[in-house]
Amino acid sequence: MLMTVLDGSIVTVAMPAIQNDLGFTPAGLSWVVNAYLIAFGSLLLLAGRLGDLIGRKRMFLAGTAVFTAASLLAGIATSPGVLIAARFLQGVGSAMASAVGLGILVTLFAEPRERARAIAVFSFTGAAGASLGQVLGGILTDALDWHWIFFINLPIGLAALLVALPALPSDRGLGLRAGADVLGASLVTVGLMTGIYAVVQVERYGWTSAHTLGLGALSLALLAGFVARQAKAGTPLMPLRILRSRTVVGANLVQMLMVAALFSFQIVLALHLQRVLGYGAAETGLAMLPAALAIGAVSLGASARLSARFGERAVLLTGLGMLVIGLGLLTRLPVRADYVTDLLPVMLLASGFGLALPALTTLGMSAAGGADAGLASGLFNTTQQIGMALGVAVLSTLAASRTETLTEAGRSLPEALTGGYHLAFAVGAALLLTALTLTATLLRTPRTRQN
């Protein structure tokens, strides 16, 4: 899981080097990220349910193998087309492995305290992997070259396979007859892929273009057809009982908002460090390191104990509150920001993510029994990827538009960029406030869990 999450962020600081080496156009370069995101986000739900049907261990091993092989292909790529194809395959492998990861945990660790500790470790790999990706991306790009941001996955992937083979118990699954809904699978996969594609292309076409509105309407129609199909199918791909829990639905909505908002921290702040403050790739990664360390320390050292004592809802509210304060401080970030006084406090407040994510994951998986664990895991990961896609589209578009307006008004480029980033941080803080409100009104800490 660390490898697949890390891969989603490690590429961000290496993008200029990739563009210069392979000759990407500015529009084409975005597909180094988009190809991965579209495949990953659109296949998670299907992969999670298939894991329940054919066995989660099989799905995890197959996905890890596909991802590792695709990383090798990406590392040796000598043309834009090969790299984009490899990134799409990486997304497929990530979806297969990630979709069943939480399902494996909730079936292996049934006792609440054990499950809380396991989910804390799992959440740490996600939260820290996103931050560490930028650190490693910068260091590897500067010290070696961009190819090594993909080659580093090879020893990790092989080690994961060698450990997983004996460590994960074999499960036969329910059998394809328990949910082999081919029509439903086609509707949800194409619907998600179309919707995510429309969102990631917003910066190019605009929100009100025929391209965006047409694909958005098609995506909604396909997903509505999928829900209608699940209500009538004898062997549904996604039994709708999974959506009867207010806590599960609320946790997925909160996660979508939180991940969308934190794009402004992970990516927009990295852009500010490089484009306004003049940091290099390695310097940017090291500047973000305190956030990764704070997230790791909190998620591994405190989140499970605090959830056991105060409940997941209270811990989630606290974490979201810390993140709101952090993004609020970034809305006042000066053009010539000082790292110690202006940025380090925000990096430390990012530890709120280490509180929020484990608690939110527990709530999102609270209704998952053995038969639906992979499905619940796939659903939770799907909303995460949709939130990321929305964050990329909305916040980057708003920041670019604000920067252009300020530039036309005569502001210097650093001032205009800072103004655009301020708007992205403010919208991110508003999304987190919405998530905090939903947590307070919709979510309840489950006192007992049926497995």
Side-chain angles (χ1 to χ4, degrees), residues 162-445:
L162 291 174
V163 172
L165 278 168
L168 296 182
S170 298
D171 56 318
R172 297 178 58 86
L174 302 173
L176 289 176
R177 292 183 179 180
D181 181 11
V182 176
L183 176 58
S186 301
L187 287 169
V188 71
T189 301
V190 177
L192 287 171
M193 192 170 289
T194 303
I196 294 171
Y197 172 77
V199 169
V200 299
Q201 290 290 87
V202 160
E203 191 170 0
R204 178 179 178 184
Y205 291 99
W207 285 101
T208 58
S209 67
H211 180 276
T212 301
L213 294 177
L215 288 179
L218 176 60
S219 173
L220 290 175
L222 289 168
L223 293 175
F226 167 71
V227 173
R229 169 69 180 174
Q230 300 315 287
K232 298 179 180 179
T235 55
L237 179 72
M238 188 183 81
L240 296 183
R241 62 177 177 270
I242 196 74
L243 301 178
R244 293 174 187 164
S245 169
R246 185 177 71 171
T247 298
V248 170
V249 173
N252 278 277
L253 288 174
V254 169
Q255 178 181 231
M256 191 182 303
L257 292 167
M258 184 176 75
V259 171
L262 289 176
F263 167 80
S264 63
F265 174 81
Q266 181 184 340
I267 305 299
V268 176
L269 183 56
L271 289 173
H272 182 90
L273 291 172
Q274 294 185 69
R275 299 180 67 184
V276 178
L277 300 182
Y279 284 34
E283 289 177 300
T284 300
L286 291 173
M288 304 288 284
L289 184 59
L293 295 175
I295 290 168
V298 170
S299 60
L300 289 177
S303 63
R305 291 198 298 270
L306 291 174
S307 292
R309 181 170 182 180
F310 300 107
E312 287 88 358
R313 178 174 175 271
V315 173
L316 176 57
L317 287 169
T318 302
L320 289 172
M322 294 171 64
L323 295 173
V324 169
I325 295 172
L327 287 187
L329 290 175
L330 288 176
T331 63
R332 303 174 60 84
L333 197 64
V335 175
R336 293 182 176 85
D338 177 76
Y339 183 81
V340 173
T341 58
D342 296 319
L343 290 168
L344 186 58
V346 177
M347 300 297 174
L348 298 178
L349 284 167
S351 60
F353 195 53
L355 288 177
L357 189 57
L360 188 58
T361 303
T362 300
L363 292 168
M365 296 295 293
S366 61
D372 294 328
L375 172 62
S377 175
L379 177 63
F380 194 73
N381 281 286
T382 298
T383 58
Q384 186 178 87
Q385 294 306 308
I386 292 174
M388 187 180 300
L390 288 170
V392 170
V394 175
L395 298 179
S396 62
T397 302
L398 290 174
S401 176
R402 178 63 175 163
T403 297
E404 183 179 355
T405 299
L406 292 174
T407 301
E408 292 173 350
R411 299 286 186 90
S412 66
L413 181 59
E415 290 177 327
L417 287 170
T418 301
Y421 299 151
H422 282 171
L423 178 59
F425 295 139
V427 174
L431 292 174
L432 287 171
L433 280 172
T434 304
L436 195 148
T437 302
L438 289 176
T439 299
T441 55
L442 290 181
L443 301 188
R444 295 289 183 270
T445 294

Side-chain angles (χ1 to χ4, degrees), residues 7 22 65-91 146-154:
D7 199 75
L22 297 185
V66 169
F67 180 88
T68 305
S71 296
L72 175 61
L73 180 61
I76 63 175
T78 56
S79 68
V82 173
L83 181 57
I84 290 172
R87 290 288 288 165
F88 186 88
L89 289 174
Q90 279 188 309
W146 65 265
H147 299 274
W148 285 91
I149 67 174
F150 300 114
F151 287 147
I152 195 175
N153 292 330
L154 302 183

Side-chain angles (χ1 to χ4, degrees), residues 1 4-5 40 44 60 93-102 122 377-378 381:
M1 186 60 189
T4 58
V5 173
F40 193 10
L44 279 163
F60 179 83
S94 291
M96 295 168 66
S98 301
V100 296
L102 279 173
F122 183 88
S377 175
N381 281 286

